[in-house]
Amino acid sequence: MADLDLRRMLDLGRWAPSGDNTQPWRFRITGARTVEVLGSDTRSWCLYDYRGIPSRMAHGALLETLRIAATEQQARMGWRLREGGDETAPVYEIGFEPADALAPDPLLPFVESRCVQRRPMRTPALTSAEMAALTEAAGPDYHVDFRTGARERLEVAKLLWHSARVRLICPEAYETHRRIIEWGVRFSKDRIPERAVGVDSLTARLMRWVLADWKRVDFLNTYLAGTVMPRIQLDLIPGLACAGHFLIRPRQPARSDREQVQAGMAMQRVWLTAARLGLGFQPEMTPVIFRWYVQDGQALSARAPVNAAAAAVAERFNDVWSVSAEAPAVFMGRVGRGAPPTSRSLRLDLDDLIVVDGHDTVEAA
Ligand SMILES: Cc1cc2nc3c(=O)[nH]c(=O)nc-3n(C[C@H](O)[C@H](O)[C@H](O)COP(=O)(O)O)c2cc1C
């Protein structure tokens, strides 16, 4: 068997999704068939990276993508999380083994084209075959619930509407919002490009001006109902304009690092399966993340009204999805029909992601 082309696998792997396109990983090639993924997380500055869970899910998406990429070269992948390290910088040891009879994974062709669709999509409801395929993709350890009818979508859209208010009135989230958008562009290698955000150009110009200074955000929110316009465009309309929303729930609470990585693997399989079905896809993680804070009794903000509003979002979430307050949930999103987006996040170049011995500082993404 010919040597494995590890660079090719890593080149595909880097297309895995990560929260706000932070790409919390670097790669070290340690042998002819072994690689280390040097993970990081963004909890020090990103309110949404609660206990680093979204970053760990992104690591899972990366590992799943590498597993799929390996099938292109008829190789099987194994991985383990190195024990005893810093929990904010997990190291994943990965090995590949030739497996001659292995067929390319059917999700392989979608690794690079899979992306987020934040704009309104067409609404014909998901078919039962589509729901079955998405559920199967998550695997036996997860329930996948759907909300597809017009009335159900309205209830989810209202949940997103309330959740978005929390996001926009929370001073602690401001730093994240300020950092993650690359303004005035269609493609961005290390952030979300303005055109992929999902607002019209006038609103984008206003957002850019407002986000330059928290005082502007606060003033607009207090006196000019500043959260209304972005929430209509980013949450209410997309919440209605889709074929359905879904929630991925682990059968067992996903408490350990490993379980959170596995949740990310399930997320990536569902996302790639949506791409294979020709469906647009958008994660809707803020209500899930705010509910994690509430479940753990952790304050989201120094401002009491923000925490009260987050608690109300968690309650609404439980109603919409008919789950108990304690029920674990790892991922929520929407899918729909229509043309793919014309703007998307790109990735850092492979050479910038590969750590060469002697230069092995992993910068926090
Ligand atoms: C764990 C996780 C959470 C995410 N949460 C959201 C979200 O709440 N809303 C959203 O629009 N995109 C969300 N995203 C999508 C990322 O912003 C997106 O994957 C990243 O910017 C790269 O873009 P691409 O997936 O189009 O390549 C999330 C992605 C991951 C992996």
Side-chain angles (χ1 to χ4, degrees):
M1 196 192 118
D3 283 349
L4 296 175
D5 185 349
L6 296 180
R7 282 185 64 94
R8 165 70 185 158
M9 292 183 203
L10 297 174
D11 199 34
L12 283 172
R14 77 199 162 99
W15 287 100
S18 54
D20 300 325
N21 201 22
T22 45
Q23 302 164 66
W25 46 64
R26 295 294 180 268
F27 310 130
R28 184 191 276 135
I29 297 177
T30 48
R33 294 178 182 173
T34 53
V35 166
E36 282 174 359
V37 170
L38 311 173
S40 56
D41 73 41
T42 60
R43 72 180 87 177
S44 64
W45 60 270
C46 179
L47 180 80
Y48 303 111
D49 204 4
Y50 179 62
R51 292 179 25 224
I53 300 172
S55 285
R56 236 168 277 126
M57 290 178 67
H59 300 158
L62 170 70
L63 297 186
E64 185 64 11
T65 313
L66 288 172
R67 184 195 65 73
I68 293 168
T71 67
E72 185 185 47
Q73 300 179 44
Q74 294 190 303
R76 220 181 280 289
M77 188 190 106
W79 68 278
R80 67 180 203 100
L81 183 55
R82 186 177 293 165
E83 276 176 29
D86 174 355
E87 66 159 11
T88 68
V91 176
Y92 304 89
E93 295 170 345
I94 298 185
F96 300 96
E97 278 302 320
D100 288 341
L102 193 66
D105 193 290
L107 298 175
L108 179 63
F110 306 97
V111 161
E112 208 168 322
S113 58
R114 176 221 55 80
C115 64
V116 186
Q117 174 55 284
R118 297 191 180 84
R119 308 244 169 212
M121 295 185 270
R122 293 201 296 113
T123 56
L126 285 175
T127 64
S128 40
E130 287 167 335
M131 288 192 270
L134 295 169
T135 304
E136 199 191 322
D141 296 334
Y142 300 89
H143 299 279
V144 184
D145 305 319
F146 293 91
R147 294 290 182 266
T148 57
R151 192 179 288 257
E152 291 181 340
R153 282 184 277 121
L154 177 63
E155 288 309 310
V156 179
K158 280 160 52 182
L159 168 65
L160 294 166
W161 171 262
H162 288 285
S163 181
R165 181 169 166 274
V166 176
R167 179 160 58 81
L168 296 170
I169 63 171
C170 181
E172 290 82 357
Y174 164 72
E175 181 58 17
T176 306
H177 299 159
R178 201 178 61 77
R179 270 169 89 150
I180 61 172
I181 301 171
E182 184 169 349
W183 297 102
V185 297
R186 269 178 60 198
F187 302 103
S188 172
K189 277 187 178 181
D190 61 353
R191 277 165 285 165
I192 298 176
E194 175 190 310
R195 310 279 159 72
V197 169
V199 291
D200 63 42
S201 54
L202 193 69
T203 308
R205 269 165 56 194
L206 184 68
M207 275 171 71
R208 182 178 186 169
W209 181 80
V210 172
L211 280 174
D213 185 348
W214 166 254
K215 288 200 209 85
R216 292 178 189 170
V217 181
D218 212 20
F219 178 85
L220 213 75
N221 287 349
T222 310
Y223 299 107
L224 297 171
T227 71
V228 169
M229 207 50 200
R231 281 198 289 159
I232 290 176
Q233 290 185 49
L234 289 175
D235 300 280
L236 195 61
I237 294 175
L240 295 168
C242 63
H245 301 267
F246 64 91
L247 180 68
I248 305 181
R249 290 188 292 123
R251 290 179 194 271
Q252 304 294 330
R255 284 266 152 211
S256 73
D257 294 354
R258 194 182 161 83
E259 285 163 334
Q260 289 156 5
V261 171
Q262 282 165 335
M265 294 176 160
M267 168 198 78
Q268 175 69 335
R269 284 194 304 272
V270 172
W271 201 334
L272 288 168
T273 301
R276 182 169 64 76
L277 296 169
L279 295 167
F281 184 112
Q282 181 184 13
E284 297 169 321
M285 283 297 280
T286 41
V288 176
I289 294 166
F290 293 159
R291 183 169 171 270
W292 289 339
Y293 276 91
V294 174
Q295 281 182 325
D296 287 355
Q298 291 290 332
L300 194 72
S301 172
R303 290 191 175 181
V306 176
N307 295 321
V313 165
E315 250 176 64
R316 188 179 282 272
F317 180 104
N318 301 335
D319 282 351
V320 167
W321 291 105
S322 309
V323 291
S324 69
E326 306 78 39
V330 288
F331 193 82
M332 176 176 153
R334 67 184 186 111
V335 284
R337 303 172 198 287
T342 53
S343 165
R344 67 162 301 178
S345 291
L346 303 177
R347 296 294 184 273
L348 295 171
D349 295 338
L350 183 58
D351 283 326
D352 293 333
L353 290 169
I354 292 182
V355 167
V356 180
D357 278 337
H359 299 88
D360 56 357
T361 13
V362 184
E363 283 176 28

